[in-house]
Structures are given as C-alpha cells and as structure tokens.
C-alpha cells in the first residue's frame, strides 16, 4: 500500500521532505502541496507530480490525502496539526509542535480525545545513529547512573532575522528533546548565562549563550549555543555516568595529510549532518501512518519541550534559574 501524503509549507525543509519522500523513503508519495506562496507550492509540487492546493485546510480535507506533513512556519503549525487530528489523519509536524504552551496543550488534549497516536514531531536527532548508540550504551546500565551531559550546538552563521530567543526556541529545542529522550527524564529548571558576544553577529543578538538545565532525577546539563561560529555545523554531546563517559561520534570523514597539515572537513549545515536521521524519521513515520500506529516523538514530547523552552527564554531575560512546570503526563503517552 502506498501512503498518499499532503505537504503544508514548501519552504526550505518542506521541499527537502518532498524530495525525501519521493526519492529516499519507500511506501509513500506526495500527492498535494500547499503554501501561502502559491507559486512556491506549484514549483515544489510539479517535479513529483503532485497537485498544488490553495491552503493547508484544502490539503487536510482532500480525500486523496491519507496523511499530512506540516513544514510551515512555527506559528502556523497548531492550526494544521489540530485540523489533521480532527480529520483523523496522521500528521508529521516539524519542530516546534506549536509556539505556545496553550496550543501544545490543545494538541495533546485533541489527540488523547481521538484515542490514538496521530502526531509525530520532527525531533530527528532521536534517529541519528550516534545518538542511538549513546542511548543503547546508557540503557545497558554498564556505566551506572548518568550524572552530567555536556552539549555544544554550533551553526556557522545565523540570518539577520534570528534573535536571541531563537537560540532556545529554534536551536536548543533539539537538545531539550534529545536529553529528555536519552535520559527518559524531564527538564525541571533552566538558566542562561551570557558574556561577551562575537563580533560576527547581528547587533541585536546575544551569541553565544550558555544554558544550564536540571532534570527531575538531578542530572545537570550544560549547553553552548553558538550560531555564528563561522567554521561549520558542529554538534557535540558527552554524557558522564558513574563508571564512564559516552561521547557522540563526529560524522565519518577522511583525514587528509597534505602540505605539512592534517585536516578533516567540518560539515556546514544540519541538512548534511542529519541526512540519515531525517530519512530514518520519515521511514518510521510512513510505516506508522500506514499501520495506523505512530511511534516517533509524540505530541507530549512537543509539549514538554515547549514548556522547557519557555522557561529557558524566561531565564534569558531574568538572569535567574526558572522552573519548568509540566502538567501530569497522560497515561496515553506512557514511555
Ligand atoms: P521556510 O521559511 O523556508 O519555509 C516555511 C514555508 O511555510 C514558507 O514557504 C511559507 O510561505 C510557508 N507557510 C507559512 N505559513 C503557512 C501557512 N499557514 N500555510 C502554508 N504555508 C505556510 O522555513 P523552513 O526553514 O523550511 O522551516 C520550516 C519549519 O521547519 C520550521 O518550523 C522550522 O523550525 C523547522 N525546521 C526544522 C529543522 C530541523 O532540523 N528539524 C531545520 C530547519 C527548519
Ligand atoms: C534550525 O531551525 C534547525 O532546526 C537546525 O537543526 C538547528 O541546528 C538550527 O540552529 C536551527 O536554526
């Protein structure tokens, strides 16, 4: 059976996901695309033989669409995720699930009321082979209990429109999710420490930022977010446990010895660094949507990250440690 997919939002990542579904993930085809920019929708739809529709609502209502991908701007996510749930159609939503805690709460409530998992959130790092190996070693118990995690999230350069809150909302959300997933734990507090900013940034941006998190079981997490590091896209993670440490591997790359230098290329962006992870998350989503049983990052994960993200933004402004107040996790989302 082939899953007929409708895509809402045909910008940078929407187009990448359309190509992914057409070329690298089996069991699905893109049949409809919508974007507020109608020309963009048409150009994204045409190469894969899909129809360009006028709105996200049209995509969801289309009887030829079995499942929906939401890859529009964050503030537009909630309306289409809620629409897909109401239509009983499985939906893949790029991060963030929604931009307000209240919208995330509504999505969780709607999904629980629907009685089956219809939402998968695009936290693709859970599908990265390196992070998966880290989790397998931690879960084996050989290293004892986790104590600390040191993370680094560096982008080569950020757009003019990127502002200081986005270091959390757009960037650190990946670590907020992957830390929760690695530890099977929740973030309970957040703090942000800032100092000298790089000269290679927009004047309004605080960059880098150091974020400090604590989990319910007392694990301490430090995260450097530096989105104008200039040299490349660099994701680091080291977990310290009672009997040893686990380090996220760098992507495989040859070492070149030449003209008195030893050099290894550094990747330049998330599309290359997480290419395998994006493919794997979509393979799982297509399989789950086809079987009527989604298994990837859930609406609860989207909600929990949104609440932790809000606390981190508050911490940036207050300079204090801010608490994360989650509602009780519904049994529906039992780990
Ligand atoms: P983009 O600006 O390139 O594209 C967004 C598109 O959505 C635009 O074409 C815009 O016209 C369209 N759009 C906005 N509102 C819409 C609506 N109501 N209906 C239909 N279309 C609408 O942005 P992007 O970089 O592709 O990011 C899109 C989403 O993907 C964001 O939520 C972003 O956080 C997420 N993202 C995730 C990753 C990742 O690593 N997982 C990386 C980049 C972006
Ligand atoms: C972007 O939106 C992403 O999600 C990338 O994975 C992240 O590295 C980048 O900082 C964000 O802007």
């Amino acid at each position: 059976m082939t899953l007929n997919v409708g895509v809402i939002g045909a910008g940078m990542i929407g187009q990448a996901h359309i190509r992914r579904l057409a070329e690298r993930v089996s069991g699905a085809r893109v049949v409809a695309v919508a974007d507020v920019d109608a020309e963009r929708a048409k150009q994204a739809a045409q190469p894969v033989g899909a129809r360009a529709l006028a709105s996200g609502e049209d995509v969801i209502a289309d009887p030829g669409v079995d499942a929906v991908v939401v890859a529009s701007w964050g503030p537009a996510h909630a309306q289409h995720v809620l629409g897909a749930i109401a239509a009983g159609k499985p939906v893949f939503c790029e991060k963030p699930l929604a931009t307000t805690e209240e919208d995330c709460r509504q999505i969780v409530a709607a999904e629980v009321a629907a009685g089956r998992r219809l939402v998968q959130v695009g936290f693709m790092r859970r599908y990265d082979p390196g992070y998966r190996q880290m989790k397998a070693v931690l879960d084996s118990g050989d290293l004892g209990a986790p104590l600390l995690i040191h993370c680094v999230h560096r982008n080569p350069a950020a757009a003019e429109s990127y502002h200081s809150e986005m270091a959390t909302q757009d960037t650190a959300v990946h670590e907020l999710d992957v830390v929760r997933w690695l530890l099977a734990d929740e973030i309970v507090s957040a703090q942000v420490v800032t100092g000298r900013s790089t000269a290679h940034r927009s004047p309004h941006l605080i960059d880098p930022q150091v974020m400090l998190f604590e989990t319910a079981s007392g694990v301490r997490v430090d995260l450097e977010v530096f989105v104008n590091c200039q040299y490349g896209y660099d994701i680091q993670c080291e977990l310290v446990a009672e009997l040893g440490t686990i380090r996220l591997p760098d992507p495989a790359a040859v070492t070149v010895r030449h003209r008195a230098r030893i050099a290894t290329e550094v990747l330049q962006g998330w599309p290359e660094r997480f290419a395998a992870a994006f493919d794997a998350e979509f393979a799982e989503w297509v399989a789950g949507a086809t079987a009527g049983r989604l298994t990837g990052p859930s609406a609860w994960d989207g909600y929990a990250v949104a609440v932790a993200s809000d606390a981190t933004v508050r911490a940036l402004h207050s300079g204090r440690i801010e608490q994360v107040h989650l509602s009780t996790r519904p049994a529906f989302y039992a780990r």
Side-chain angles (χ1 to χ4, degrees), residues 8-14 34-37 40 71-74 76-77 80 94-96 122 124 170 174 270 278:
I8 303 172
M12 183 166 49
I13 208 165
D35 195 290
V36 284
D37 180 337
R40 192 176 286 178
S72 55
W73 297 323
H77 289 183
H80 294 132
E94 256 311 334
K95 49 71 62 169
M124 78 295 182
D170 201 48
H174 288 293
W270 49 266
F278 283 118

Side-chain angles (χ1 to χ4, degrees), residues 220-241:
R220 286 286 182 176
V221 180
D222 59 84
L223 164 63
E224 170 202 317
V225 174
F226 185 14
V227 295
N228 288 286
C229 80
Q230 306 296 303
Y231 71 85
Y233 188 73
D234 196 3
I235 303 300
Q236 304 287 333
C237 182
E238 183 186 33
L239 186 149
V240 179

Side-chain angles (χ1 to χ4, degrees), residues 60 79-91 110-111 114 116 118-119:
I60 294 164
Q79 74 187 86
H80 294 132
V81 172
L82 286 166
I85 295 172
K89 296 188 181 182
V91 55
E111 190 179 44
R116 65 188 172 107
L118 287 164
V119 181

Side-chain angles (χ1 to χ4, degrees), residues 106-143:
Q106 273 192 36
I107 291 169
V108 164
E111 190 179 44
V112 170
R116 65 188 172 107
R117 282 275 320 269
L118 287 164
V119 181
Q120 177 171 325
V121 183
F123 291 129
M124 78 295 182
R125 289 198 187 180
R126 297 182 182 207
Y127 298 88
D128 175 72
Y131 277 114
R132 290 205 153 194
Q133 285 170 35
M134 288 185 75
K135 183 157 177 63
V137 174
L138 181 64
D139 288 352
S140 74
D142 291 349
L143 272 60

Side-chain angles (χ1 to χ4, degrees), residues 81-82 85 91 97 101-121 123 126 177 180-181 184-186 293-305 326-335:
V81 172
L82 286 166
I85 295 172
V91 55
L97 174 61
E101 179 178 338
E102 184 45 36
D103 280 350
C104 289
R105 222 193 276 276
Q106 273 192 36
I107 291 169
V108 164
E111 190 179 44
V112 170
R116 65 188 172 107
R117 282 275 320 269
L118 287 164
V119 181
Q120 177 171 325
V121 183
F123 291 129
R126 297 182 182 207
D177 179 67
R180 297 176 54 255
W181 171 75
D185 202 354
E186 293 295 359
R293 193 165 25 88
L294 292 184
T295 47
S298 67
W300 174 263
D301 295 314
Y303 159 77
V305 168
L326 287 185
S327 13
T328 308
R329 187 183 182 113
F332 183 85
Y333 296 107
R335 282 198 170 99

